[in-house]
Every structure is written in C-alpha cells, then in structure tokens.
Amino acid sequence: MRYKRLESGAFKWPPITDGVMRLTSAQLAALVDGMDWSRLHARDVTRPTATS
C-alpha cells in the first residue's frame, strides 16, 4: 500500500467549466504527485516536413 502526504496539506485543483474538470494525463500525474499541475506546459515541437 502506498500513500502520499502533501506538504502544504491540499491539492491545487483545476477550474470546473460546464461541470467538467479537464486535465491532461501529465497534469493528472502531477496533481497526484502533489505538484502544481498548472506549472506544466507542453513544449512546441516542430513537425518534420517531407523533402523531395
């Protein structure tokens, strides 16, 4: 059995919009780990272009 103890004693929950709380999988993992999920940002990745 595993458990985590929060340092500040509370999770920082995302806002609820239209009755739904939306999180990415990375944000959910951060939330469960007790981290501030709102500080996570996806990196912009340039898609490769085909050359002929």
Side-chain angles (χ1 to χ4, degrees):
M1 182 172 165
R2 288 178 37 136
Y3 68 93
K4 292 198 178 258
R5 182 177 66 109
L6 297 173
E7 295 298 323
S8 60
F11 288 108
K12 181 175 180 182
W13 293 99
I16 297 174
T17 306
D18 297 327
V20 177
M21 185 183 304
R22 290 180 175 83
L23 287 172
T24 66
S25 59
Q27 290 171 328
L28 176 61
L31 177 65
V32 171
D33 283 340
M35 298 169 54
D36 183 357
W37 62 269
S38 64
R39 298 182 72 188
L40 295 179
H41 299 286
R43 292 184 181 174
D44 289 334
V45 177
T46 304
R47 293 182 181 256
T49 57
T51 58
S52 37

